[in-house]
Amino acid sequence: MADKKDFLAIDDYSTEELRAILTLAREQKPLAREHRLPHTHPNRILACVFAKPSLRTRVSFEVGFRQLGGETLFITDKEIGMGTRESVHDVAQVMSRFCDGIMIRWFDHQEVVDLAKYATVPVVNGLTDLNHPCQVMADIMTVEEHLGSIDGKTVVMVGDGNNLANSWLNAAIKFPFNFILACPEGYLPDEGIMQKAEAAGASFMITHDAREAVEGAHVIYSDAFYSMGQEEEAVKRRKDFAPFQITGELLSGADNDHIVLHCLPAHRGEEITDEVMDGPHSVVFDEAENRMHAQRAILATLIG
Ligand code: CP
Ligand code: NVA
């Protein structure tokens, strides 16, 4: 299928295409809330493959696709054994005969790229070790609901140069906002993604000073100090990231109307305090809900 499209990274798409997805998400949100969405995808099956745990990704993809009249399958890595029991190529070919789309949460990003290459149906990245593009689409939608266009805003991520930082860098190539990552030394984003963002003229800065980073910021972004698969590093990371906890005091220098986002799950009291999570600037549950609206728009765009 020559013209099938995948959603593996934000910067695979043009700004116009990303804007169209965000517009559809925004238009469909009130209809979805009122259970009035037309069933545009009857008899379509989305396979949802997970090699890592999930609350938001699983539920938002499954509910979102069902809202379009489609159906979903939940499959774990242990069942399909992609790359162990069977080659990525063969899994891709077989699943493409049964399903109309594949959403996958996986460790190795390259295996997801390979899956997409061999599949004849759209593949959507539901998080890999490298990036988490659907999350950042929902994040941008949330920023724009609360602050208007993200263009010209300053988004400051305080924490790890992880898959979310990488997706924010990808987004900074496509939307003219300023991205700042405040991380400890040794926890930088992916080198190739930083180089690509730099070459594309994206506005971003990496600093090791959280206080300086949040000065005047419009959006403060948080994620866990250690990601899924890094649990053994938790003790060391808690120590290394201690100065990067988001507290009310840290945010005193941010813009008066700043908003606080966290992709969740949050480790309350670790990367973010209860005071901030539950405070007046926090929009973390709007953000979680928007996963469903943004992803439904992605699925509607990719799956015919
Ligand atoms: N933010 C996010 O992807 O949450 P889950 O890990 O619960 O899916
Ligand atoms: N960086 C985190 C995001 C969880 C949604 C992880 O990869 O575990």
Side-chain angles (χ1 to χ4, degrees), residues 128-259:
T128 63
D129 287 347
L130 188 70
N131 62 12
H132 195 2
C134 293
Q135 176 70 55
V136 171
M137 288 296 282
D139 297 338
I140 293 171
M141 180 178 175
T142 309
V143 170
E144 300 204 323
E145 275 178 355
H146 287 273
L147 300 180
S149 174
I150 194 165
D151 297 3
K153 301 288 188 304
T154 297
V155 176
V156 179
M157 179 167 174
V158 180
D160 191 15
N162 60 12
N163 43 11
L164 263 317
N166 291 334
S167 282
W168 275 108
L169 283 167
N170 287 337
I173 294 176
K174 299 296 170 178
F175 299 96
F177 66 91
N178 313 307
F179 179 64
I180 301 176
L181 173 70
C183 65
E185 285 185 38
Y187 292 96
L188 295 176
D190 179 79
E191 183 62 36
I193 288 180
M194 283 196 292
Q195 280 173 10
K196 194 172 175 192
E198 189 160 6
S203 171
F204 76 96
M205 189 180 97
I206 314 285
T207 168
H208 304 303
D209 185 336
R211 194 159 301 274
E212 177 193 82
V214 303
E215 198 63 39
H218 304 105
V219 179
I220 316 297
Y221 197 82
S222 183
D223 186 9
F225 289 158
Y226 54 96
S227 286
M228 291 179 274
Q230 297 175 328
E231 288 78 6
E232 284 178 5
E233 298 172 33
V235 173
K236 174 172 167 38
R237 282 174 169 263
R238 280 193 193 106
K239 206 162 108 230
D240 293 349
F241 282 87
F244 295 85
Q245 185 188 54
I246 298 180
T247 62
E249 203 271 317
L250 178 74
L251 297 185
S252 59
D255 185 81
N256 284 341
D257 298 322
H258 72 270
I259 55 172

Side-chain angles (χ1 to χ4, degrees), residues 6-22:
D6 307 299
F7 196 84
L8 304 185
I10 287 179
D11 62 330
D12 291 342
Y13 279 73
S14 70
T15 306
E16 292 67 34
E17 289 170 323
L18 296 168
R19 278 270 161 237
I21 289 168
L22 290 168

Side-chain angles (χ1 to χ4, degrees), residues 22-165:
L22 290 168
T23 300
L24 182 62
R26 196 175 57 237
E27 286 170 358
Q28 287 194 336
K29 181 171 176 174
L31 296 176
R33 282 182 150 190
E34 293 162 16
H35 306 285
R36 289 198 293 119
L37 269 179
H39 282 188
T40 49
H41 288 66
N43 305 315
R44 298 291 187 279
I45 308 290
L46 177 71
C48 299
V49 181
F50 284 87
K52 297 177 180 178
S54 172
L55 167 60
R56 280 143 293 273
T57 304
R58 177 172 179 187
V59 179
S60 58
F61 268 104
E62 292 212 28
V63 174
F65 199 57
R66 288 172 196 205
Q67 288 170 332
L68 298 176
E71 295 188 38
T72 57
L73 294 177
F74 172 73
I75 308 165
T76 69
D77 59 319
K78 289 182 187 57
E79 292 170 88
I80 58 169
M82 187 172 81
T84 50
R85 183 171 186 262
E86 205 164 347
S87 72
V88 175
H89 171 273
D90 292 358
V91 168
Q93 286 285 315
V94 172
M95 287 188 77
S96 298
R97 301 291 178 106
F98 295 136
C99 305
D100 301 286
I102 304 168
M103 190 288 302
I104 181 160
R105 166 165 286 194
W106 208 245
F107 286 90
D108 182 1
H109 186 77
Q110 187 55 48
E111 285 186 339
V112 173
V113 172
D114 292 343
L115 176 74
K117 183 170 83 186
Y118 300 129
T120 57
V121 297
V123 174
V124 178
N125 177 358
L127 180 149
T128 63
D129 287 347
L130 188 70
N131 62 12
H132 195 2
C134 293
Q135 176 70 55
V136 171
M137 288 296 282
D139 297 338
I140 293 171
M141 180 178 175
T142 309
V143 170
E144 300 204 323
E145 275 178 355
H146 287 273
L147 300 180
S149 174
I150 194 165
D151 297 3
K153 301 288 188 304
T154 297
V155 176
V156 179
M157 179 167 174
V158 180
D160 191 15
N162 60 12
N163 43 11
L164 263 317

